[in-house]
Amino acid sequence: MKATTRVLAGVPLAVVLFGLAGCGSSAQPAAAPAAGQPAEQAGEKKEEPPLTGEVKQKAEQAALAAYPGTVLKSEHDAEKPGMYAVEVQQADGSAVEVYLDKGYKVVDTKKEGTEEEDED
C-alpha cells in the first residue's frame, strides 16, 4: 500500500510539470511587430490618442470647414503617423474621417463604414 501511495503522490506533480512544459511557448508575451510592420498585421490595434487643446480646436475647425456636420471624435492617427484624424457625422447621417496634416490642411478622407474590419 505504501508503494501505491508514493506513485499516486507523484502523478499530480508529473501532470503539472508535463502541462507546464507543453504550454511554455504559449505563455510567452506576444512579440512586438517588426520594424515597419503595422500593428494590425501583428494582431493588435494601435491606440490613437485623442487630440486636446489648441490642436483639437484647429483640427476640428478645419475638418468642419471642409465637411460640415458634427465631430464624433478627433485623434492622432495611428495608420498615418504625423496626421490628425477627425471623424465628422454629416447631415445625411453618414460619417467621414478627415485626415489633416500638421498645418491643418485636409490631405485625405475616408468614408466611414467602408473598410473591411468595421465590426467594432
Side-chain angles (χ1 to χ4, degrees):
M1 185 142 178
K2 283 186 175 185
T4 305
T5 305
R6 287 183 191 160
V7 170
L8 291 177
V11 170
L13 179 60
V15 170
V16 170
L17 291 176
F18 179 75
L20 289 175
C23 68
S25 63
S26 65
Q28 299 296 323
Q37 178 185 18
E40 292 82 22
Q41 289 181 1
E44 54 188 65
K45 190 173 182 176
K46 282 188 174 181
E47 186 174 323
E48 297 179 318
L51 298 180
T52 59
E54 187 178 350
V55 171
K56 175 183 172 82
Q57 181 184 2
K58 287 182 177 183
E60 290 179 358
Q61 285 176 347
L64 290 173
Y67 295 89
T70 304
V71 172
L72 299 175
K73 65 181 176 179
S74 54
E75 58 201 6
H76 294 274
D77 192 61
E79 295 171 4
K80 300 177 182 189
M83 305 283 280
Y84 305 127
V86 179
E87 186 175 342
V88 177
Q89 184 173 16
Q90 298 178 297
D92 66 0
S94 66
V96 62
E97 186 120 17
V98 182
Y99 298 98
L100 304 118
D101 63 15
K102 295 289 183 180
Y104 306 102
K105 178 183 172 196
V106 176
V107 294
D108 198 9
T109 61
K110 178 175 71 175
K111 198 82 159 159
E112 287 299 295
T114 58
E115 60 270 0
E116 292 178 21
E117 297 180 346
D118 193 39
E119 298 177 18
D120 293 316

